[in-house]
Amino acid sequence: MKFSSESFVRRCSGLLARCSVLWMVMLTMLPAPASAHDHFLWADRYQLASEQPATVQFQVGHAGDFAAWPHGLTQVSAIATYGPSGFGDWLHTLGEDDVQVQLKEPGTYVVALTSYRSTSELPGERFDAYVSKEGLAAIAAHRERAHQPDQPGTELYARRAKALLQVGEPATAHATQRLGMELEIVPLRNPYSLKEDDALPVQVWYRGKPLAGAQVELEHLTLQAIAAQSMQTDDNGIATFPITKRGEWKLNVVWGVPMAHRGATYSTVFSSLTFGY
């Protein structure tokens, strides 16, 4: 069964509709994103046999310093798989900080998570430091035009995360298909089809278009001796990284733009992609 960005959006919209009341409550309950670490999906096994169960954990942090993100039951709006078996809705297996999946057909599967939106406010100096660190050029330019370098920064933010699981041998094209997330890292080659020390090109999409000038970070989660890398996407939203086929990898990107909202000045999305050998 082939999936598409339209089916992803349609199914996630249905899940969101069933939880709209909870969404309104949660907007004001969670901590600021700038004070937190990267959010990503970490599987207990990325390569598995047919129908072998996998636990996908919700994590925050960086290589050598990450821990469980304990908001799954209240903050995850959708968690699904896309692959040779088609669409799988796994919200019913959601735990406090993980989800249980079991995949049948051989091939590559995308596990995709979306969160509800939450609000954040930081003092001007801390907000500007965060904007600079994450390379949020659109927000930086807006604050400069508005002469707001010392003013607090307020955001309405959300999280989008994907993990690639490989069942059996065939590395299928599902890994390279776009799901239609608001901010999404899409591999242009399936990481499980790479040869040793091949480069991995990825394309960043934002609201349906390739995103130029975004800062993408790559780090190895289990081999801290491998230095983290940071690349800026080109005019086509593409960045290319060298990959060693050992251990577990995380790609991360953040993007934000000005918005007209009574509770926030900026709309920000955090997106990640993980896979492992």
Side-chain angles (χ1 to χ4, degrees):
M1 176 178 171
K2 187 177 179 180
F3 63 86
S4 64
S5 60
E6 289 80 7
S7 67
F8 175 80
V9 172
R10 184 172 61 254
R11 292 175 186 272
C12 289
S13 295
L15 293 171
L16 285 168
R18 295 199 298 268
C19 303
S20 59
V21 174
L22 178 60
W23 176 80
M24 294 300 294
V25 174
M26 289 306 300
L27 279 177
T28 58
M29 291 179 62
L30 294 179
S35 62
H37 295 291
D38 293 347
H39 175 272
F40 60 95
L41 300 178
W42 190 31
D44 62 347
R45 54 177 67 86
Y46 286 92
Q47 295 178 290
L48 53 155
S50 175
E51 298 194 67
Q52 183 179 15
T55 300
V56 180
Q57 301 174 331
F58 313 142
Q59 297 283 323
V60 286
H62 300 275
D65 182 24
F66 54 89
W69 180 66
H71 300 297
L73 287 173
T74 55
Q75 184 64 1
V76 173
S77 61
I79 182 81
T81 54
Y82 303 86
S85 298
F87 171 87
D89 179 4
W90 297 96
L91 201 62
H92 63 286
T93 71
L94 190 67
E96 182 177 349
D97 56 19
D98 63 22
V99 65
Q100 307 292 320
V101 300
Q102 196 167 9
L103 307 168
K104 183 177 180 180
E105 300 296 329
T108 309
Y109 289 79
V110 184
V111 184
L113 176 149
T114 64
S115 81
Y116 296 107
R117 295 191 180 275
S118 303
T119 54
S120 161
E121 180 173 333
L122 286 175
E125 186 175 344
R126 285 184 60 196
F127 187 78
D128 289 335
Y130 145 69
V131 167
S132 176
K133 177 181 180 296
E134 300 295 349
L136 303 182
I139 292 179
H142 178 267
R143 286 175 69 79
E144 184 175 352
R145 289 195 304 269
H147 304 289
Q148 294 179 331
D150 299 321
Q151 297 301 311
T154 57
E155 295 176 293
L156 192 62
Y157 72 94
R159 304 183 190 274
R160 306 288 183 258
K162 299 194 304 185
L164 302 180
L165 303 185
Q166 180 62 39
V167 178
E169 292 297 328
T172 55
H174 302 91
T176 61
Q177 295 181 12
R178 191 161 58 93
L179 300 183
M181 289 177 159
E182 183 178 6
L183 179 66
E184 184 175 1
I185 301 171
V186 181
L188 297 182
R189 297 181 64 186
N190 187 324
Y192 297 118
S193 70
L194 299 179
K195 297 179 180 179
E196 184 65 30
D197 296 325
D198 273 355
L200 176 65
V202 299
Q203 189 171 34
V204 177
W205 289 76
Y206 179 67
R207 296 182 178 177
K209 297 179 180 179
L211 178 62
Q215 181 174 295
V216 185
E217 296 183 350
L218 171 74
E219 64 178 7
H220 201 293
L221 290 171
T222 49
L223 296 177
Q224 297 178 49
I226 299 179
Q229 303 173 59
S230 180
M231 304 281 283
Q232 192 173 73
T233 57
D234 64 15
D235 290 344
N236 296 312
I238 296 173
T240 302
F241 296 90
I243 296 289
T244 301
K245 293 189 69 174
R246 296 192 301 273
E248 297 158 2
W249 295 91
K250 174 175 69 68
L251 287 152
N252 188 78
V253 67
V254 186
W255 195 248
V257 294
M259 67 178 300
H261 189 276
R262 63 182 182 182
T265 308
Y266 304 106
S267 172
T268 306
V269 188
F270 296 74
S271 184
S272 62
L273 173 72
T274 55
F275 53 92
Y277 301 102

